[in-house]
Amino acid sequence: MVFLPQEVIARKRDGEILSPEEIRHFIRGFAHGTVSHPQAAAFAMAVYFQDMNIEERVALTEAMRDSGKVLDWSDLDGPVVDKHSTGGVGDNVSLMLAPILAAAGVYVPMISGRGLGHTGGTLDKFDSIPGYMTNPDNAVFRKTVRDIGCAIIGQTDELAPADRTLYAIRDVTATVENISLITASILSKKLAAGLDALILDVKTGSGAFMKTPRQSRELAESLVTVANGAGVKTGALITDMNEPLASAAGNALEMRNAVDFLAGVNQDERLREVTLDLCAAALVLAGKHTSLDAARSQCEGLLDNGAAAEKFGQMVKALGGPADFIEKMDAYLTPAPIIRDVVARKAGTVSAINTRGVGMAVVALGGGRRMPTDKVDHAVGFDQLMGIGEQVGPDTPLARIHARDETSAAEAARRLTEAYDLQGEVQSTPLIADRIMPEGQ
Ligand code: URA
């Protein structure tokens, strides 16, 4: 049968259900240049209005995954697992989760992203380590995963290229905000990493991509159903982003926070809960445990006995960073020139935080990008961030700011102060709002 892209677009425009073959042909044509960018834009808009059922979403995800290379880990003797977070502020979970899982005997080839808008990105955090290669050659990447168990690196051009181009088209045609397209976009990249199991951290609240629990649940259910439909054991936790997860926000500051966490020097309580619950769910999905409780206590043990810290140090060294990074972090992470408290306007209890505002204050310091080509200042950001329910006042600041210069320090301090509400009723939301696991788990 002759395949005509305009017919596929018209069928979706008119609310019909596309067959997997039609979707495969369309995406293959897009990847090979026989489907034009205007046609892809029209397709995205048709999906935006008419949406896709689960079978169509699975076909779209698989077609986008197969637009490039799919990694093959059949030479490894254990399950291959990864985590994806929909993005937040002070969300440095990956830095602990990958080495904990590696210490538990699964393999974690983690392909991570850079900061987007107000949210931080794992790769930008690793760029604060001198020498660490976020884009190593394939042989180094594979050897690190095989020998150590985890490697956190950046997206390569070879993985799911159709998503990169389609995302750029969606970005300028008002078609990003559609659950079917978001599902296929997120999963095509993760599934191209050749995973056996995937745990998703779908954030909800003022610093999340999905602001309401209903929207977050809808996305989580779509991601879990489609990923399992595409053959990868997948579950999701819906976790709170109504305040930063760690008490630090900013690249080197979150790296410090993670190393202190792994070394047992200081662990933010909410961060520990979310990290260990995600690790436990990942191990159950990977078939290493049948009970979440047993998986969690194994992860606690590997964190508390230093095994996860050791894995982290080995990964940093294998990917070009200093061999003694964990022990001598201060020698490698250069502090910002200005470090000072951000004092609250009045004494009170933190009742709510506009987490997006905290993320934008980090961007104002230069810790995130305003334009895709911007260089990130790794040293800047906040630490000692106060959380909801905590008292602030003349002697207890909202946070400590790390800035490059006085102008950005003043602007970021103003933004942070505005993001903190000290007036209303304390807004408490559950840290882990829901767990969505595939049937039977
Ligand atoms: N993140 C992605 O990778 N894709 C989307 O469509 C939205 C968020």
Side-chain angles (χ1 to χ4, degrees):
M1 201 178 84
V2 179
F3 158 79
L4 291 175
Q6 56 269 50
E7 285 179 349
V8 177
I9 298 165
R11 273 168 43 69
K12 188 37 76 188
R13 179 200 63 199
D14 297 342
E16 292 179 39
I17 292 171
L18 302 178
S19 70
E21 292 71 44
E22 284 177 300
I23 293 171
R24 250 197 312 275
H25 266 114
F26 193 90
I27 296 298
R28 198 178 298 144
F30 177 56
H32 292 142
T34 54
V35 169
S36 68
H37 286 200
Q39 286 173 320
F43 175 80
M45 190 58 89
V47 173
Y48 182 92
F49 281 117
Q50 300 292 357
D51 218 352
M52 283 183 149
N53 68 18
I54 292 296
E55 287 70 34
E56 290 175 293
R57 292 179 196 183
V58 171
L60 183 63
T61 301
E62 290 179 338
M64 301 221 304
R65 173 197 66 193
D66 296 339
S67 66
K69 197 160 133 186
V70 178
L71 302 183
D72 176 4
W73 299 102
S74 51
D75 56 324
L76 299 180
D77 59 3
V80 176
V81 183
D82 198 2
K83 180 210 70 150
H84 175 79
S85 159
T86 57
V89 179
D91 175 10
N92 55 356
V93 168
S94 295
L95 282 59
M96 285 81 71
L97 173 137
I100 294 172
L101 291 180
V106 300
Y107 293 98
V108 191
M110 188 178 275
I111 315 278
S112 298
R114 300 206 173 273
L116 192 65
H118 69 281
T119 65
T122 299
L123 278 196
D124 294 327
K125 293 166 204 172
F126 277 96
D127 275 343
S128 62
I129 305 179
Y132 188 98
M133 295 178 284
T134 47
N135 282 307
D137 70 34
N138 197 37
V140 173
F141 174 47
R142 292 194 75 91
K143 182 168 163 41
T144 308
V145 173
R146 192 177 55 242
D147 295 352
I148 290 147
C150 58
I152 301 180
I153 67 154
Q155 181 76 18
T156 73
D157 289 347
E158 296 169 317
L159 298 184
D163 174 62
R164 202 171 20 265
T165 320
L166 186 59
Y167 190 88
I169 292 171
R170 287 167 56 211
D171 200 20
V172 293
T173 55
T175 49
V176 168
E177 299 91 345
N178 170 270
I179 297 257
S180 299
L181 296 172
I182 294 171
T183 300
S185 169
I186 290 175
L187 290 180
S188 59
K189 292 183 282 248
K190 282 286 160 182
L191 271 45
L195 308 178
D196 297 307
L198 173 65
I199 184 70
L200 299 158
D201 183 4
V202 178
K203 303 287 186 193
T204 192
S206 65
F209 189 47
M210 295 289 169
K211 302 271 179 294
T212 67
R214 195 188 58 74
Q215 289 174 323
S216 306
R217 193 175 171 92
E218 199 189 335
L219 177 60
E221 281 178 346
S222 173
L223 288 164
V224 168
T225 313
V226 171
N228 282 288
V232 175
K233 275 262 181 236
T234 301
L237 264 56
I238 299 179
T239 70
D240 185 59
M241 200 26 81
N242 281 307
E243 56 185 304
L245 185 56
S247 59
N251 298 297
L253 295 166
E254 288 180 55
M255 180 56 72
R256 254 174 205 287
N257 177 279
V259 170
D260 281 346
F261 184 109
L262 286 165
V265 173
N266 176 41
Q267 294 181 346
D268 293 319
E269 214 176 294
R270 297 169 77 253
L271 182 61
R272 182 174 164 103
E273 273 307 298
V274 171
T275 303
L276 288 171
D277 267 24
L278 286 165
C279 287
L283 290 182
V284 169
L285 291 162
K288 283 295 233 184
H289 282 276
T290 50
S291 125
L292 282 171
D293 287 346
R296 182 166 161 139
S297 52
Q298 186 192 12
C299 295
E300 276 169 354
L302 295 166
L303 178 60
D304 296 342
N305 72 10
E310 199 179 328
K311 285 281 178 203
F312 185 89
Q314 290 168 348
M315 175 186 77
V316 169
K317 175 168 178 263
L319 290 172
D324 54 358
F325 182 68
I326 294 252
E327 300 75 21
K328 301 224 175 98
M329 176 171 65
D330 286 340
Y332 298 111
L333 299 178
T334 322
I338 298 170
I339 302 176
R340 72 164 70 114
D341 291 343
V342 182
V343 182
R345 286 197 191 117
K346 62 181 187 79
T349 305
V350 179
S351 57
I353 299 174
N354 171 3
T355 312
R356 186 178 183 281
V358 178
M360 290 314 292
V362 176
V363 175
L365 285 165
R369 297 176 184 79
R370 295 163 213 248
M371 303 280 286
T373 48
D374 279 354
K375 271 186 82 118
V376 163
D377 187 340
H378 296 102
V380 301
F382 300 100
D383 64 358
Q384 300 175 12
L385 282 158
M386 285 308 216
I388 291 177
E390 293 190 292
Q391 296 288 323
V392 295
D395 301 323
T396 318
L398 294 176
R400 202 162 64 152
I401 197 166
H402 298 242
R404 184 64 50 195
D405 54 47
E406 288 296 342
T407 311
S408 62
E411 168 66 8
R414 185 191 64 74
R415 284 175 182 265
L416 189 84
T417 311
E418 260 176 27
Y420 272 72
D421 187 348
L422 307 176
Q423 316 259 34
E425 288 254 305
V426 172
Q427 305 284 315
S428 83
T429 38
L431 178 59
I432 297 176
D434 219 337
R435 275 187 190 77
I436 302 170
M437 294 291 268
E439 264 176 45
Q441 286 190 319

